[in-house]
């Protein structure tokens, strides 16, 4: 973890974030995503969920972001995905849930809507279909003699003497 410049009679310690070069004549900075304490002989990558800040130390990613091992910065997960518990990668929201890029957690679809896969929003049930429960992954067709408008959480009975639109 030390170096000696040309004509120097003593060794000096490399500062934080740098290590001696191959012939130990000077110090070189660590690569992006790596850190070194003063006097270190080699750079080390930040662990997953952390990034190498400009101060040469590993810092935890902020909420809604993640970092793989050796990252120089944190990233947002794409729509429909959120950071895992260690902020080391992304996990997919379950059917019936959604998330916008950068979200900390998945949100549940409201009754009258659904989601099937990785998405940033829920889809409203179409006319004649409904979803009664929050977190639905599909809509159900209204029974014969009933109707529902778009985004309905239940079907309604037709009034006496009328029939649903075909």
């Amino acid at each position: 973890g030390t170096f000696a410049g040309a004509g120097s009679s003593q060794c000096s310690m490399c500062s934080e974030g740098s290590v001696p070069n191959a012939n130990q004549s000077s110090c070189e900075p660590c690569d992006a995503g790596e850190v070194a304490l003063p006097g270190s002989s080699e750079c080390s990558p930040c662990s997953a969920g952390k990034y190498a800040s400009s101060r040469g130390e590993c810092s935890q990613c902020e909420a809604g972001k993640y970092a793989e091992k050796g990252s120089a910065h944190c990233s947002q997960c794409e729509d429909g995905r959120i950071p895992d518990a260690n902020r080391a990668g992304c996990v997919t929201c379950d059917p019936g849930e959604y998330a916008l890029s950068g979200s900390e957690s998945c949100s549940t679809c409201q009754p009258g809507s659904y989601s099937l896969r990785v998405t940033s929003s829920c889809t409203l049930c179409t006319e004649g279909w409904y979803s009664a429960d929050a977190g639905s992954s599909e809509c159900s067709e209204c029974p014969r003699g009933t109707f529902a408008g778009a985004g309905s959480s239940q079907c309604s009975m037709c009034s006496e003497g009328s029939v649903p639109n075909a």
Side-chain angles (χ1 to χ4, degrees), residues 36-123:
L37 295 173
S40 294
S41 58
E42 58 185 44
C43 297
S44 301
C46 291
S47 61
K50 297 185 177 186
Y51 69 100
S53 67
S54 58
R55 295 183 308 249
E57 62 187 44
C58 295
S59 300
Q60 180 74 40
C61 289
E62 62 190 61
K65 294 189 175 185
Y66 75 98
E68 296 174 347
K69 182 178 180 178
S71 292
H73 63 278
C74 297
S75 302
Q76 291 184 344
C77 297
E78 62 197 31
D79 286 347
R81 296 169 58 85
I82 58 168
D84 64 22
N86 297 320
R87 298 183 184 158
C90 298
V91 294
T92 302
C93 295
D94 292 330
E97 297 180 331
Y98 68 97
L100 293 172
S101 177
S103 295
E104 274 186 75
S105 60
C106 296
S107 298
T108 303
C109 293
Q110 295 301 307
S113 66
Y114 71 99
S115 74
L116 293 174
R117 58 182 80 82
V118 180
T119 184
S120 62
S121 63
C122 298
T123 303

Side-chain angles (χ1 to χ4, degrees), residues 100-155:
L100 293 172
S101 177
S103 295
E104 274 186 75
S105 60
C106 296
S107 298
T108 303
C109 293
Q110 295 301 307
S113 66
Y114 71 99
S115 74
L116 293 174
R117 58 182 80 82
V118 180
T119 184
S120 62
S121 63
C122 298
T123 303
L124 292 178
C125 297
T126 57
E127 289 182 359
W129 295 74
Y130 74 101
S131 69
D133 301 318
S136 292
S137 59
E138 63 184 6
C139 296
S140 301
E141 190 171 11
C142 288
R144 193 170 191 86
T146 64
F147 70 96
S152 292
S153 60
Q154 62 185 15
C155 299

